[in-house]
Amino acid sequence: MKNYFDHAATSFIEQDVIDFLAKQLTNNNYNPAARYTSGIEAASSIAKSTQTIASFLGAKPEEVIITSGATESINTALKGIVFSPNPKHKRILTSAGEHQATNETLNFIERQLDYTIDYCSLNEKGEVDLEELESLLRQNQYDLFTLIYVNNVIGSVNPIAQIIKLRNQYQPDLLIHLDAVQALGKISFNFKKIGIELASFSLHKLGGPKGVGILLKNETTRIEPLIHGGGQQNNLRSGTENPALVATIAYLFEHLQKTFEYNNETVSNLKLFLLEQLKQEEINHQVISPEDAVPHIVSIAFPELRAETLLNILAKEGVQVSIGSACSSKKSERNQVLQQLNLPQGLDQYILRISLDKSNSQSEICDLVRIIKTALDKYAI
Ligand code: PLP
């Protein structure tokens, strides 16, 4: 996909993955619940693939739940805890920088189940404010802390080790769920080592198909299932399992394991190149993403031209970027993450999110910068 700079919204499926999936759909398509040999083979294929998936994520196979995407994973984690016998306090902690999948689920829980939801502010880098977090943990008792790991708008990485330390100090029993959608494949992730209870992922951000996700649930944590039915996946997510799809996730993870460092180095270099080009062309801009953000997400303000206008000009030239987060761009309300960053009044309306992938090239970046420069020369206020 040429001139595509919206990889945080979705990534494209490489040909080898399509071929692998097609072959699997042809040869590995029996119902894993069936009692005849082909069904038993499908079940054992799922078990083998789940082992690979679990090992890539630093989890146990029984901790892996395949879902229809991160939205379902997040809903299952949050509602699953709330409806389980765990909650004692009817209070959930989150941050002011979450994706709508979390925000809307929490709104539902607050509205329908009379929970109190506390939103920890972000600092100017877009990370949770640790002082405020400490004070919230000192003052209140929570059933769950749900937090985005890598912010999907500006790419900041929440300081999870420090957060776990605070949890252990103030509320060692507090369950933590991480929305790790933008983290996987970008920063190293190990479920057990991080020490959290739940984590959500979406495969289409990693070169997989849409409509596939993962929820990790620590084996000692109890959740109520969201989807009831035939009792598949340890009764936690009913519905006929798809051995071909599970094998494809394993295939993707095996590939990712081998390419992780190369991918990230390539993307870091592309980000540097982009920033150099903007400087070299003397384009008036302000990088909004913090320096230590994941390199894949670079939010940049061009204060002389509204982001929406710039996006449309780029789109006409076949260059795809996003304003704020693609997931929220249909809504006209202002992006709540950008509101937290203490930016000059109104600057959030001038911010483009450029999200990179190893498949982008320097020449595509030159095109992007050239079009921005021409647009600014012509329309800048
Ligand atoms: N969480 C984050 C941080 C995301 O970026 C997204 C998708 O953009 C989601 C959750 C939801 O993922 P999906 O739409 O694949 O369910």
Side-chain angles (χ1 to χ4, degrees):
M1 187 52 66
K2 195 163 156 31
N3 286 336
Y4 180 74
F5 295 101
D6 203 14
H7 290 96
T10 200
S11 57
F12 284 84
I13 314 179
E14 288 186 16
Q15 193 56 47
D16 64 308
V17 180
I18 296 173
D19 293 345
F20 182 86
L21 177 58
K23 207 165 152 194
Q24 286 287 320
L25 286 168
T26 313
N27 300 327
N28 189 10
N29 197 36
Y30 285 91
N31 188 327
R35 299 290 175 90
Y36 38 82
T37 312
S38 336
I40 293 165
E41 279 169 8
S44 91
S45 154
I46 288 189
K48 191 166 153 252
S49 306
T50 305
Q51 179 78 51
T52 307
I53 294 167
S55 125
F56 178 77
L57 296 170
K60 294 182 181 168
E62 13 349 324
E63 295 175 328
V64 175
I65 304 164
I66 307 296
T67 65
S68 68
T71 301
E72 185 190 320
S73 301
I74 293 168
N75 270 266
T76 307
L78 273 45
K79 291 174 187 162
I81 291 295
V82 163
F83 288 123
S84 78
N86 295 319
K88 294 188 198 98
H89 314 292
K90 293 195 85 167
R91 201 171 185 120
I92 294 179
L93 179 58
T94 190
S95 87
E98 301 299 306
H99 187 269
Q100 295 98 304
T102 296
N103 287 332
E104 292 304 324
T105 307
L106 291 176
N107 285 343
F108 166 83
I109 292 171
E110 183 179 38
R111 207 174 52 237
Q112 300 289 331
L113 305 166
D114 209 20
Y115 266 60
T116 303
I117 314 292
D118 288 337
Y119 295 85
C120 183
S121 315
L122 309 182
N123 62 21
E124 68 290 343
K125 285 170 70 185
E127 300 163 4
V128 279
D129 183 319
L130 289 175
E131 268 177 38
E132 186 175 319
L133 180 66
E134 182 166 6
S135 124
L136 284 163
L137 288 172
R138 217 182 306 123
Q139 283 169 36
N140 308 295
Q141 290 292 312
Y142 295 102
D143 296 309
L144 176 71
F145 179 22
T146 179
L147 181 67
I148 198 162
Y149 196 175
V150 168
N151 183 282
N152 54 308
V153 184
I154 60 169
S156 26
V157 183
N158 269 316
I160 192 65
Q162 284 160 278
I163 290 166
I164 298 284
K165 238 188 197 168
L166 289 176
R167 185 267 303 261
N168 295 349
Q169 185 178 348
Y170 292 102
Q171 289 182 48
D173 294 337
L174 174 61
L175 304 171
I176 297 185
H177 165 254
L178 271 191
D179 169 354
V181 169
Q182 300 289 351
L184 197 62
K186 317 298 191 276
I187 54 177
S188 63
F189 181 94
N190 186 299
F191 188 55
K192 192 169 162 55
K193 276 198 195 140
I194 297 176
I196 47 173
E197 286 66 38
L198 298 141
S200 293
F201 311 92
S202 229
L203 266 295
H204 72 98
K205 311 281 185 182
L206 293 164
K210 288 165 197 55
V212 194
I214 297 173
L215 172 64
L216 291 182
K217 182 194 72 66
N218 175 307
E219 54 182 347
T220 57
T221 301
R222 282 181 67 189
I223 59 167
E224 238 352 91
L226 192 65
I227 296 176
H228 299 91
Q232 290 88 345
Q233 304 203 62
N234 298 323
N235 229 348
L236 290 172
R237 205 277 189 177
S238 285
T240 305
E241 292 162 276
N242 186 338
L245 215 44
V246 185
T248 306
I249 304 175
Y251 176 82
L252 270 165
F253 283 2
E254 271 172 347
H255 181 70
L256 208 55
Q257 182 109 44
K258 290 184 208 137
T259 54
F260 178 84
E261 271 172 34
Y262 167 79
N263 291 351
N264 285 325
E265 206 184 305
T266 308
V267 172
S268 296
N269 290 335
L270 287 169
K271 175 185 168 178
L272 283 179
F273 184 74
L274 166 66
L275 300 182
E276 271 165 23
Q277 289 299 305
L278 289 170
K279 258 196 209 146
Q280 209 170 303
E281 295 297 329
E282 295 179 351
I283 292 174
N284 181 8
H285 70 284
Q286 183 183 334
V287 180
I288 305 298
S289 298
E291 258 180 51
D292 54 0
V294 289
H296 311 74
I297 299 178
V298 202
S299 274
I300 303 175
F302 297 96
E304 293 167 335
L305 196 56
R306 286 179 81 85
E308 204 156 336
T309 312
L310 198 44
L311 176 136
N312 288 332
I313 294 169
L314 285 162
K316 274 196 192 128
E317 300 281 338
V319 177
Q320 290 140 324
V321 297
S322 123
I323 31 176
S325 154
C327 295
S328 64
S329 62
K330 283 204 189 90
K331 296 190 181 172
S332 57
E333 68 216 37
R334 304 179 82 182
N335 188 298
Q336 62 150 15
V337 174
L338 298 177
Q339 297 300 304
Q340 291 274 308
L341 302 181
N342 255 336
L343 300 172
Q345 176 96 23
L347 190 68
D348 60 331
Q349 300 298 310
Y350 294 79
I351 296 173
L352 282 189
R353 181 185 73 175
I354 298 167
S355 52
L356 301 160
D357 175 73
K358 59 165 188 325
S359 60
N360 287 122
S361 65
Q362 290 195 349
S363 96
E364 285 178 317
I365 289 176
C366 290
D367 282 349
L368 170 71
V369 172
R370 177 182 48 76
I371 299 164
I372 292 175
K373 186 169 170 56
T374 313
L376 290 173
D377 287 347
K378 202 162 165 191
Y379 300 109
I381 36 167

